[in-house]
Amino acid sequence: MTFPVVGMVGGGQLARMTHEAGIPLGIRFKLLSDTPQDSAAQVVSDVVVGDYRDLDTLRDFARGCDVITFDHEHVPTEHLRALEADGIPVRPGPEALVHAQDKGVMRARLDALGIPCPRHRIVSDPADVAAFAAEGEGFPVVLKTVRGGYDGKGVWVVDSEAEAAEPFKAGVPVLAEEKVDFVRELAANVVRSPHGQAVAYPVVESQQVNGVCDTVIAPAPDLDEELALKAEEMALTIAKELGVVGHLAVELFQTRDGRILVNELAMRPHNSGHWSMDGAITSQFANHVRAVLDLPLGDPRPRARWTVMVNVLGGDYPDMYSAYLHCMARDPQLKIHMYGKDVKPGRKVGHVNTYGDDLDDVLERARHAAGYLRGTITE
């Protein structure tokens, strides 16, 4: 019996950690990477360097793969349909993935399903943005290009019609949304397999800094049990109705008036689920591998009362390895995960996980370690 080959499109850290999760299972990986230096290309043995936007490259790459999956949502939808027509299982498939690729399509489908979202519509020009603002509470308004944005890119908060010109320069449709008055951001992570088995991880709190995820707390502190259950059910419903196979992250706003609204969808392992590598019985990466291969899914329950993940962002201190001595000696339970990336200011180069029974202690340990690795803390 030969073990299956998973074809992973994209060579970033998500692919690197998904590959890591497949190693104990004996799963072989084949990687389509932009460059040989990409995070996953450094550790996967079978690497094809090529352009995921080229259909012939994708078809050549898919030969010998039992299933294709992704560490990003940017492969053209029509190319994925072509792979499926060739008989290659694509998970998630194009009919699901388009909802993570196109924010306008996503909003329309969630509306049809009755899933609560911020007030929104596609706008045609700055004057239309002003009209959208006038239809609600006025400015500020959030503008998003419908395709291509992530980590705060492709997103603008504008306070006037005059400020609304920039998003239209990209030449793609622009989605206008109300600026939600929220208490905090949450994320509901679920995994679904082709035969319909699904599991839900605890709802987490996700804290952003300059549009980039900084800290994740699992489970979200002081979240009403009924609201947490509603968030999990919402994510499971979205996964089922959209036909998602693999991991789905549903990013949410918790509003001041007690509601939860869907902000974004991601159909791949997600930053808000990195805590599960050390804090859950089965990580998001292991369950994503299981799902795309239609294996029984693993237990998503947490191992500890609290787990905290803090991203390690690049700063002005490139020699992170020398900081290991301090971090590991100070906290023997600390889990460090580095991505093999060159250190650049603001770039995600790794993350740390801590866990325990005292949330304040767990938070302090994670933030100290991430700060020391970055060089913003020196003692």
Side-chain angles (χ1 to χ4, degrees):
M1 176 181 176
T2 58
F3 280 67
V5 176
V6 174
M8 176 71 77
V9 178
Q13 65 262 26
L14 300 179
R16 180 184 179 111
M17 291 182 278
T18 304
H19 167 257
E20 178 185 353
I23 291 173
L25 303 177
I27 305 302
R28 293 182 292 162
F29 273 74
K30 185 178 180 182
L31 185 72
L32 180 60
S33 183
D34 290 339
T35 76
Q37 291 77 39
D38 285 351
S39 181
Q42 299 173 28
V43 296
V44 176
S45 60
D46 189 355
V47 178
V48 175
V49 176
D51 187 349
Y52 63 82
R53 295 165 294 189
D54 180 74
L55 179 56
D56 290 336
T57 298
L58 280 171
R59 280 180 159 146
D60 289 343
F61 169 75
R63 292 190 182 98
C65 295
D66 294 285
V67 64
I68 299 294
T69 191
F70 316 92
D71 91 332
H72 61 71
E73 293 101 343
H74 306 314
V75 180
T77 312
E78 61 272 18
H79 290 4
L80 301 181
R81 292 195 180 105
L83 291 182
E84 286 194 329
D86 293 342
I88 304 296
V90 176
R91 294 171 178 166
E95 305 310 318
L97 195 61
V98 68
H99 297 91
Q101 295 174 323
D102 190 306
K103 295 177 177 65
V105 172
M106 179 263 288
R107 286 288 184 232
R109 185 62 191 283
L110 294 185
D111 284 347
L113 293 173
I115 301 293
C117 298
R119 186 178 70 87
H120 62 272
R121 69 173 171 85
I122 299 294
V123 287
S124 56
D125 54 35
D128 200 15
V129 175
F132 173 82
E135 293 162 7
E137 301 296 324
F139 286 103
V141 167
V142 178
L143 299 179
K144 301 177 178 180
T145 51
V146 296
R147 286 180 176 260
Y150 67 97
D151 280 352
K153 299 177 178 67
V155 179
W156 295 261
V157 179
V158 299
D159 291 308
S160 67
E161 180 178 339
E163 292 183 9
E166 184 67 26
F168 295 95
K169 295 178 181 178
V172 298
V174 174
L175 179 71
E177 295 182 349
E178 66 172 312
K179 190 174 187 296
V180 176
D181 183 20
F182 62 89
V183 178
R184 58 179 170 176
E185 294 185 63
L186 305 171
N189 291 281
V190 299
V191 183
R192 182 176 178 271
S193 66
H195 70 272
Q197 184 189 8
V199 296
Y201 289 88
V203 177
V204 301
E205 177 177 335
S206 178
Q207 300 175 359
Q208 316 294 312
V209 176
N210 297 324
V212 178
C213 179
D214 178 82
T215 301
V216 172
I217 305 172
D222 302 317
L223 181 61
D224 179 78
E225 186 176 345
E226 184 175 337
L227 204 60
L229 182 60
K230 182 179 179 180
E232 291 178 9
E233 290 177 343
M234 189 184 298
L236 290 167
T237 296
I238 293 170
K240 178 182 177 181
E241 294 297 329
L242 271 54
V244 176
V245 172
H247 184 271
L248 169 69
V250 181
E251 298 180 64
L252 302 160
F253 294 125
Q254 181 182 356
T255 67
R256 295 191 187 279
D257 57 5
R259 297 173 296 146
I260 49 173
L261 305 175
V262 173
N263 180 23
E264 303 277 2
L265 301 180
M267 294 180 192
R268 50 173 170 75
H270 190 257
N271 207 162
S272 65
H274 288 359
W275 69 273
S276 65
M277 296 178 73
D278 304 297
I281 294 171
T282 311
S283 75
Q284 64 165 347
F285 299 101
N287 263 334
H288 185 75
V289 172
R290 293 187 187 201
V292 300
L293 292 171
D294 208 10
L295 293 169
L297 301 180
D299 193 334
R301 288 178 298 171
R303 294 177 180 269
R305 182 178 180 185
W306 300 106
T307 303
V308 170
M309 183 228 66
V310 177
N311 276 320
V312 178
L313 302 181
D316 298 324
Y317 184 66
D319 185 15
M320 291 187 175
Y321 182 74
S322 66
Y324 283 2
L325 179 64
H326 168 85
C327 291
M328 293 177 177
R330 185 177 189 272
D331 187 355
Q333 290 186 312
L334 176 71
K335 302 296 184 180
I336 300 174
H337 301 272
M338 302 302 288
Y339 306 152
K341 292 181 172 183
D342 292 335
V343 176
K344 297 179 181 178
R347 187 186 199 187
K348 292 179 187 176
V349 294
H351 71 270
V352 297
N353 285 336
T354 57
Y355 47 85
D357 294 329
D358 184 315
L359 179 56
D360 289 339
D361 174 68
V362 175
L363 269 168
E364 190 278 331
R365 288 162 48 210
R367 286 171 173 161
H368 178 94
Y372 199 91
L373 288 166
R374 188 177 184 182
T376 56
I377 295 175
T378 57
E379 58 182 11

